[in-house]
Amino acid sequence: MSVLSGCFSMSSFPWRDYPRLTWLIAVAFLMALDQLSKAWFAASIPLGTAIEVTSWFNLVHVLNTGAAFSLLADAGGWQRMFFIVIGVIVVVPITFVCLARQAEPLERLAGGFIVAGGSGNLIDRIDSGAVTDFLDVHWRGLHWPAFNLADVFIVLAAGAWILMSLSSSRVASGNTP
């Protein structure tokens, strides 16, 4: 056994022995990071204003009563309960799957990002009826809809699932490297 392999034995990474507990702690940490960042930006930037950081990036404080890209934001209020129900329908089963079955590490990671992001936005919807967004990317007057860390987590999860899908389709077709 080399010195290097001795430094990185299984006992060096105790979280490998407790993947479900590690997953719960990681999801709780990501949710806390999301909620704390939203609270900090909401307290630091007046609603509806922006702080220019670079020529293509602003910090803003906006509230989104809709879904991604403000979908249904002007629907008259019924969308709050609709998005809460959708959030629960997504978060609860993915949590169950990540905790109850043997999942591959990348599957568990993607599920953790979805649960953390979905729960972060769900908390906002339950608490105030709107999601706090504070990141604004723009170019030549064209602004991507403002977003938050929970949205970033959800996009990262989607990217991981796309990678898993591509690799499993390659394996299924026999095109493995």
Side-chain angles (χ1 to χ4, degrees), residues 14 25 97:
I25 292 169
V97 167

Side-chain angles (χ1 to χ4, degrees), residues 27 38 45-46 49 65 72 106 121 126 132 135 148 171 177:
V27 168
K38 290 173 180 173
I45 302 172
T49 61
T65 57
L72 298 177
L106 190 55
N121 285 341
I126 292 168
T132 301
L135 302 169
N148 56 49
V171 170

Side-chain angles (χ1 to χ4, degrees), residues 67-119:
F69 305 102
S70 297
L71 178 70
L72 298 177
D74 297 325
W78 64 267
Q79 74 275 24
R80 178 182 186 179
M81 188 54 67
F82 175 74
F83 290 131
I84 289 172
V85 169
I86 295 296
V88 170
I89 288 172
V90 169
V91 166
V92 170
I94 291 175
T95 300
F96 180 75
V97 167
C98 287
L99 293 175
R101 75 175 186 94
Q102 291 290 353
E104 292 294 320
L106 190 55
E107 288 176 322
R108 194 166 272 142
L109 177 69
F113 276 129
I114 286 285
V115 170
S119 295

Side-chain angles (χ1 to χ4, degrees), residues 2-26:
S2 73
V3 173
L4 188 58
S5 65
C7 292
F8 295 105
S9 67
M10 286 296 279
S11 62
S12 297
F13 300 111
W15 60 83
R16 288 185 179 173
D17 296 334
Y18 305 99
R20 289 166 182 86
L21 178 61
T22 301
W23 185 87
L24 284 171
I25 292 169

